[in-house]
Amino acid sequence: MDEKIAPQLEELTRALGDLEKTGIRTEFDKLLAYRVPPELAKESILRKFGGKRKILKVKDLSASLKNIEITGRILDLGEKAIRPQEGVQESPSRLYTGVLADETGSVMFSSWKELPGSIGDVLNIRNAYTRLWQNRIRLSIGEQSLVSIVPNSSIPPLSELSESPAKKLIDIGAADFSVSTVACVLQLSHREVLVRGKQSKVISGVLADETSRLPFTAWVELPGIDIGSLIRVEGAQIRMFRGMPSINLVSSTRVSLVGPEEAEKLAFTFESAAKEPALLKIEEIASRDSMFDVATAGNVVSVRPGSGIITRCPECSRVVQKGNCRVHGKVEGIRDMRIKAVLDDGTGAMFVMFPRELAETIYGKTLEEAEQLMFSDISKDAVYEDLRRFLTGRYLAVRGNASQGEYGISFVAESSWVPEDDLAVRAVELLQRLGQDEEDSGFEGGINLA
Ligand SMILES: [Zn+2]
């Protein structure tokens, strides 16, 4: 008897822990006593005691999820030996890595145990977890995970899943592994980088279509392609960099020029794509995980501590506190200036970081002038206080990159200006609101007239 139910007991133990201690063995035996087949009994126990298991699709995966269930087809599978750490274990262990996909996207996975299937098989994985690895979500299959092959699954076939879907730039995100798209080259430059100790040439730049812009990197040569070229890329890999998707053209990516006939049918031209981005509402920016090279405008509602003159480590550029770098200890710091402000346009708010050159422009004082203020004042917060007085309430437009962070959107400004033509519109709006105010005295606007 016990031999027959051994596989079910083993699986239950892996999923739920000690069966005797938790009383689950008694529950299981009760079901068997009612002549429930062992496999069904196991399923029923798992349903009952499996905890708050979340059944998710690939597109719903985020970092740091626990106890999730997911079903997907193996697109890619490889294994490598991990050398044992000294004194920890005797033999090298194997790590299985690959790509799992369903109809909503694909995700990289790693598993410390051998998987029951191979490329093309559909796996049901329970009690898996996720973590961030190189800025991407990775599905982790551990000792406690249950993995089984799903025959006759409704997950699309391999041929369909491994096709890289054609996408507009704005729809490309962290859940994409490989995409195809048509875009024009807005920027392009060559540089040399060290890859595993070898000097390599890479091309980097910006692609644009009628929806958005994204950075790209080419690890292959792009003959005949330059700024202004309309190109089709098929099988480009998406990697995440600083919370932003970036398009990687690798050796398996097909890159071709779009012919004049096809170019006429596109919803954009180089001229239209190269135009300065229109001002977006902050709520629109907040509705996406990240946006590359966008513009918005709003009022500075607060200037955050940490703005003003800061000192950076000469080795790693980290902000130095009291002459000490977190990594390099006591260092002779380099002075820098930055502003961290909250910008609000009535539809939403976001943190904006202005690096030195922009900080100097919008503050109207150079780093040296700010230093003078710091030295001439007894308060060590003189520059911060001055910045607060000067900037709070000001209306500013910013252009740069936005990404969702722990505390909402954070925006790194690459340029900033006062939108002149907007001032007239805003003045009219303000007058209208004040006019209304006289009638119903329901003035609730957030405009500071002082
Ligand atoms: Zn340092």
Side-chain angles (χ1 to χ4, degrees):
M1 182 67 191
D2 254 17
E3 221 163 84
K4 263 191 197 161
I5 60 167
Q8 282 82 22
L9 287 178
E10 199 183 308
E11 200 174 312
L12 284 173
T13 308
R14 263 184 292 154
L16 306 169
D18 191 334
L19 301 182
E20 305 290 347
K21 252 191 223 162
T22 49
I24 286 173
R25 179 63 200 263
T26 318
E27 287 275 345
F28 187 70
D29 287 343
K30 229 188 268 174
L31 289 172
L32 295 186
Y34 283 110
R35 295 179 183 278
V36 176
E39 188 62 24
L40 276 184
K42 179 203 78 186
E43 289 292 341
S44 144
I45 296 266
L46 277 178
R47 265 199 304 280
K48 190 168 167 191
F49 296 99
K52 282 189 224 105
R53 194 176 66 216
K54 296 172 272 293
I55 301 178
L56 297 176
K57 290 285 180 194
V58 169
K59 72 165 170 47
D60 303 320
L61 294 179
S62 57
S64 319
L65 293 174
K66 282 187 192 129
N67 193 15
I68 53 170
E69 174 173 350
I70 192 159
T71 300
R73 200 179 288 279
I74 306 176
L75 284 194
D76 191 21
L77 182 63
E79 62 172 285
K80 56 181 167 188
I82 304 289
R83 238 176 288 149
Q85 273 178 290
E86 219 148 303
V88 175
Q89 58 194 130
E90 303 290 300
S91 56
S93 46
R94 306 199 79 74
L95 180 67
Y96 301 86
T97 58
V99 178
L100 195 77
D102 64 14
E103 65 280 14
T104 69
S106 53
V107 64
M108 284 188 277
F109 68 81
S110 58
S111 172
W112 289 104
K113 58 183 191 182
E114 197 171 349
L115 298 173
S118 55
I119 292 177
D121 284 330
V122 173
L123 295 184
N124 171 264
I125 303 160
R126 291 182 203 180
N127 205 12
Y129 56 100
T130 60
R131 60 193 179 92
L132 272 187
W133 189 77
Q134 293 189 344
N135 267 318
R136 287 197 76 123
I137 294 157
R138 177 171 280 227
L139 182 69
S140 290
I141 301 164
E143 283 303 324
Q144 301 298 312
S145 308
L146 295 172
V147 187
S148 56
I149 290 195
V150 184
N152 310 318
S153 162
S154 60
I155 302 271
L158 194 59
S159 56
E160 201 174 304
L161 289 172
S162 47
E163 242 173 54
S164 31
K167 290 201 167 188
K168 291 287 175 197
L169 295 182
I170 200 157
D171 297 322
I172 294 174
D176 289 303
F177 177 69
S178 163
V179 300
S180 296
T181 195
V182 173
C184 91
V185 180
L186 272 197
Q187 289 171 28
L188 182 146
S189 60
H190 297 255
R191 63 194 162 97
E192 299 235 329
V193 293
L194 274 180
V195 181
R196 292 184 199 97
K198 222 181 94 194
Q199 200 77 345
S200 312
K201 275 187 192 149
V202 295
I203 300 172
S204 55
V206 176
L207 292 178
D209 65 10
E210 76 276 22
T211 66
S212 178
R213 297 169 185 203
L214 280 182
F216 78 93
T217 305
W219 303 91
V220 289
E221 297 201 18
L222 299 175
I225 292 170
D226 209 336
I227 292 173
S229 298
L230 289 166
I231 59 171
R232 163 173 284 108
V233 297
E234 291 162 285
Q237 288 185 5
I238 303 306
R239 294 188 194 146
M240 298 300 286
F241 182 68
R242 289 185 183 150
M244 199 80 54
S246 122
I247 297 178
N248 277 259
L249 312 180
V250 294
S251 56
S252 61
T253 310
R254 288 179 301 280
V255 183
S256 55
L257 282 164
V258 170
E261 231 170 84
E262 198 193 340
E264 265 178 41
K265 291 181 201 135
L266 293 176
F268 62 93
T269 59
F270 172 68
E271 287 70 29
S272 73
K275 265 197 197 135
E276 284 198 4
L279 294 183
L280 298 178
K281 294 281 177 217
I282 292 179
E283 67 179 350
E284 205 170 326
I285 296 175
S287 71
R288 303 200 168 260
D289 285 343
S290 66
M291 288 190 103
F292 178 78
D293 195 13
V294 289
T296 185
N299 288 91
V300 175
V301 290
S302 91
V303 175
R304 308 305 298 165
S307 300
I309 294 178
I310 52 167
T311 314
R312 290 190 187 276
C313 170
E315 300 259 346
C316 64
S317 291
R318 282 187 176 83
V319 175
V320 168
Q321 304 282 2
K322 290 180 183 141
N324 268 298
C325 167
R326 253 195 305 139
V327 176
H328 298 99
K330 205 139 200 77
V331 289
E332 191 65 46
I334 299 170
R335 286 250 163 74
D336 192 8
M337 184 156 77
R338 68 169 179 199
I339 298 170
K340 298 200 288 187
V342 176
L343 208 64
D344 191 316
D345 72 348
T347 72
M350 62 182 199
F351 288 94
V352 184
M353 156 77 182
F354 299 90
R356 177 177 165 183
E357 271 151 55
L358 283 181
E360 288 179 325
T361 312
I362 61 172
Y363 181 27
K365 281 194 176 79
T366 62
L367 173 62
E368 290 72 27
E369 287 166 336
E371 276 176 335
Q372 290 302 317
L373 177 64
M374 181 171 72
F375 296 138
S376 68
D377 202 295
I378 310 158
S379 157
K380 69 177 181 42
D381 291 329
V383 176
Y384 170 58
E385 291 300 334
D386 191 44
L387 267 172
R388 274 183 55 178
R389 271 193 302 273
F390 183 75
L391 280 178
T392 307
R394 272 180 199 262
Y395 189 67
L396 283 178
V398 287
R399 178 174 170 181
N401 304 329
S403 59
Q404 292 285 352
E406 215 175 319
Y407 306 104
I409 327 166
S410 75
F411 192 98
V412 179
E414 302 212 327
S415 61
S416 178
W417 66 98
V418 177
E420 295 288 345
D421 46 332
D422 208 62
L423 283 177
V425 179
R426 284 165 50 78
V428 172
E429 274 177 5
L430 181 62
L431 287 173
Q432 278 171 351
R433 281 163 80 179
L434 291 175
Q436 268 174 21
D437 187 39
E438 274 164 21
E439 284 157 32
D440 60 26
S441 73
F443 185 62
E444 287 173 354
I447 292 179
N448 185 359
L449 293 170

